[in-house]
């Protein structure tokens, strides 16, 4: 008996060891299954307004690819709580939305998470998607119900109770009868116009932007625009009040223009001759414009001097000859006199003769300098100021130049008015 008892004990010990090993293997397998299926997974709770065709175990997809499944579906009053588990390694954006997708009319639905993760914050742990970020498809029975309501509203018990819809259809058919080609052309042209607008959308947008800039400028200058409108209104009112006079003036102007046109037509040849005759005087004035400018500049001073030189008591003009420039450079005067082209401008004979002696005229200044140079440098004071220009400039007579006061004035030379009077006699 002792041997059989020991055998039984050994057999029981072996079974206990085997059972322990099996239990440990099951625990390890369960732990590994939990680690590989649950650890690192993302649990998401979404709330829908309804849930038709979504059950525990339904797919959860991203871009149509299964990434998890639904773990529970619990109704909560006017909404449905759907819990999902997304397998580890799949990132979901923190602001993702959930939608129930119906692949076909007879198959189960699945939950689609969108958009796919491309960067930024992502869901971690337990995340809730509120009802505002979920969507459910329209049910087929709702579509059928809407169609039934539409047919009822348009039927004999609705809008067509008195045949209004029938009349509308008949009128539309009558209007379209025979106009199929025109309608097709209209649609074709409308398509071309839409394409043109699409191709020119950049220009249209630029136009709108420029218009917005213009409107902004008007808004910024609202006061000036209002004043302009008021002034324009005043002008319009004035023109409205004077419309009779304006009409009469325009009528007279039209008559005058007609007379001018008739005069021009009747005297065309004379006008052409007069215009041709003005060519030579105009050309002469253009050639002598510098002299004319100088004359117009000096003429007021000459007239003023003429007025000042008149002696009212004797009724005579008090004047004297000033030959200073000619006597200071007599040979230079001769050089100017032999330039016949300038003495008689416009005469081709004198211009031709002047061109022949032009080399002499060009060298005349050098020749006169050689002849008059020794006399100028000698320091002689000749009568009538002959060749004494440089000598006179070197010895200014007191009282003839502003600032060069005569010593005879004494203390009076401090009086600015007297200095100006004496200096003005130069």
């Amino acid at each position: 008996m002792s041997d059989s008892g020991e055998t039984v004990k050994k057999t029981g010990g072996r079974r206990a060891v085997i059972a322990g090993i099996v239990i440990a293997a099951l625990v390890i397998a369960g732990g590994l299954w939990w680690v590989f299926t649950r650890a690192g997974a993302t649990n998401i709770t979404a709330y829908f307004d309804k849930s038709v065709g979504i059950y525990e175990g339904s797919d959860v997809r991203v871009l149509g690819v299964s990434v998890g499944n639904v773990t529970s579906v619990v109704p909560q009053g006017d909404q449905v709580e759907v819990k999902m588990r997304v397998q580890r390694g799949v990132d979901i954006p923190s602001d993702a939305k959930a939608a129930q997708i119906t692949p076909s009319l007879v198959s189960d639905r699945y939950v689609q998470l969108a958009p796919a993760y491309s960067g930024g914050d992502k869901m971690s742990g337990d995340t809730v998607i509120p009802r505002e970020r979920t969507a459910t498809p329209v049910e087929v029975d709702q579509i059928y119900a809407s169609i039934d309501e539409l047919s009822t509203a348009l039927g004999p018990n609705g809008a067509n109770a008195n045949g209004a819809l029938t009349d509308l259809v008949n009128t539309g058919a009558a209007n379209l009868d025979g106009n199929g080609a025109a309608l097709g052309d209209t649609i074709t042209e409308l398509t071309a116009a839409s394409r043109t607008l699409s191709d020119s959308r950049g220009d249209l947008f630029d136009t709108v932007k420029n218009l917005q800039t213009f409107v902004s400028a008007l808004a910024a200058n609202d006061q000036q625009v209002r004043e302009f409108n008021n002034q324009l209104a005043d002008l319009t009112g004035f023109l409205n009040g004077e419309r009779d006079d304006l009409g009469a003036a325009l009528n007279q102007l039209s008559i005058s223009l007609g007379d001018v046109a008739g005069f021009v037509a009747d005297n065309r040849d004379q006008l052409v001759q007069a215009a041709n005759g003005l060519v030579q005087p105009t050309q002469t004035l253009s050639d002598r414009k510098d002299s004319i400018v100088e004359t117009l500049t000096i003429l007021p001073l000459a007239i003023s001097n003429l007025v000042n030189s008149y002696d009212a008591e004797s009724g005579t003009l008090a004047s004297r000859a000033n030959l200073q420039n000619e006597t200071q450079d007599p040979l230079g005067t001769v050089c100017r006199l032999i330039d016949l082209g300038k003495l008689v401008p416009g005469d081709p004979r004198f211009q031709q003769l002047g061109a022949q002696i032009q080399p002499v005229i060009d060298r005349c200044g050098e020749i006169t300098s050689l002849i008059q140079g020794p006399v100028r440098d000698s320091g002689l004071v000749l009568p009538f100021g002959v060749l004494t220009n440089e000598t006179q400039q070197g010895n200014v007579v007191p009282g003839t130049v502003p600032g060069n006061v005569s010593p005879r004035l004494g203390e009076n030379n401090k009086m600015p008015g007297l200095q100006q009077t004496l200096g003005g006699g130069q």
Side-chain angles (χ1 to χ4, degrees):
M1 290 295 292
S2 59
D3 294 336
S4 61
E6 291 179 357
T7 302
V8 171
K9 289 181 180 180
K10 291 180 180 180
T11 303
R14 292 173 181 174
R15 290 178 178 178
V17 172
I18 294 173
I21 293 172
V22 171
I23 293 173
L26 292 175
V27 171
I28 293 172
L32 293 176
W33 175 83
W34 185 88
V35 168
F36 285 104
T37 59
R38 301 295 179 87
T42 303
N43 295 319
I44 302 174
T45 301
Y47 292 94
F48 296 88
D49 57 351
K50 56 186 175 181
S51 178
V52 179
I54 298 295
Y55 308 100
E56 182 179 353
S58 297
D59 283 347
V60 177
R61 301 183 183 182
V62 174
L63 298 177
V65 179
S66 178
V67 295
N69 53 22
V70 176
T71 58
S72 67
V73 179
V74 180
Q76 295 181 347
D78 60 345
Q79 64 182 8
V80 179
E81 180 188 68
V82 178
K83 292 187 176 181
M84 300 167 282
R85 181 181 295 110
V86 178
Q87 62 192 16
R88 68 174 183 174
V90 178
D91 296 329
I92 306 297
S94 60
D95 58 348
K97 300 178 181 179
Q100 298 179 18
I101 306 299
T102 304
S104 62
L105 295 177
V106 296
S107 63
D108 291 340
R109 298 177 179 179
Y110 62 87
V111 179
Q112 178 88 1
L113 299 177
Y117 181 77
S118 60
D121 298 335
K122 55 187 177 181
M123 294 184 180
S124 60
D126 294 330
T127 304
V128 176
I129 300 178
R131 187 171 173 177
E132 292 77 12
R133 287 161 48 196
T134 60
T136 55
V138 178
E139 304 298 335
V140 177
D141 55 351
Q142 291 180 348
I143 298 176
Y144 290 159
S146 299
I147 296 174
D148 180 67
E149 291 178 359
L150 178 62
S151 61
T152 302
L154 298 177
N157 296 325
N160 201 33
N162 297 322
L165 182 60
T166 301
D167 294 340
L168 175 63
V169 174
N170 293 334
T171 302
N175 292 329
L176 295 177
D177 186 19
N179 295 317
L183 181 61
D185 294 339
T186 301
I187 295 175
T188 302
E189 295 296 333
L190 182 60
T191 303
S194 301
R195 185 180 299 108
T196 301
L197 291 176
S198 176
D199 296 338
S200 303
R201 59 185 179 272
D203 297 334
L204 291 176
F205 291 151
D206 292 339
T207 302
V208 173
K209 291 179 180 178
N210 294 332
L211 183 60
Q212 191 272 337
T213 303
F214 175 71
V215 173
S216 300
L218 290 180
N221 299 276
D222 180 70
Q223 184 62 32
Q224 290 83 348
V225 173
R226 291 179 183 272
E227 292 178 357
F228 172 75
N229 290 334
N230 293 333
Q231 295 173 359
L232 186 60
D234 295 338
L235 176 61
T236 304
F238 172 77
L239 294 177
N240 181 53
E242 301 294 333
R243 61 182 181 274
D244 295 335
D245 296 337
L246 288 175
L250 292 176
N251 186 27
Q252 294 297 327
L253 180 61
S254 63
I255 296 174
S256 301
L257 291 177
D259 295 339
V260 172
F263 174 79
V264 172
D266 296 338
N267 301 276
R268 181 181 294 107
D269 296 336
Q270 292 83 348
L271 292 175
V272 171
Q273 293 177 1
N276 293 333
L278 290 175
V279 173
Q280 184 63 32
T282 304
Q283 183 63 41
T284 302
L285 291 175
S286 177
D287 296 339
R288 307 296 297 177
K289 60 183 178 181
D290 295 336
S291 300
I292 294 174
V293 171
E294 183 178 359
T295 301
L296 294 177
T297 303
I298 299 176
L299 184 60
L301 178 60
I303 295 175
S304 178
N305 291 336
L306 180 61
V307 172
N308 292 332
S309 64
Y310 176 72
D311 189 353
E313 294 181 359
S314 60
T316 58
L317 294 175
S319 61
R320 63 180 179 179
N322 184 8
L323 302 177
Q324 182 178 1
N325 294 333
E326 286 72 15
T327 58
Q328 289 178 0
D329 188 11
L331 295 182
T333 302
V334 175
C335 291
R336 290 191 293 271
L337 291 175
I338 66 176
D339 191 355
L340 301 179
K342 293 184 179 180
L343 290 177
V344 188
D347 193 327
R349 295 174 301 173
F350 287 94
Q351 289 181 354
Q352 183 177 3
L353 182 58
Q356 294 176 357
I357 63 174
Q358 188 64 39
V360 178
I361 296 173
D362 295 338
R363 301 299 299 274
C364 187
E366 299 178 3
I367 297 172
T368 57
S369 298
L370 294 175
I371 296 174
Q372 300 176 160
V375 181
R376 289 183 183 275
D377 297 338
S378 64
L380 296 176
V381 179
L382 301 178
F384 303 104
V386 177
L387 300 176
T388 57
N389 184 40
E390 296 180 358
T391 305
Q392 291 180 355
Q393 293 295 331
N395 300 280
V396 179
V397 178
T400 59
V401 176
N404 185 17
V405 184
S406 175
R408 295 178 298 172
L409 296 178
E411 294 297 329
N412 293 331
N413 60 0
K414 298 182 179 179
M415 299 175 61
L418 185 57
Q419 291 181 11
Q420 183 177 5
T421 304
L422 296 174
Q426 181 183 359

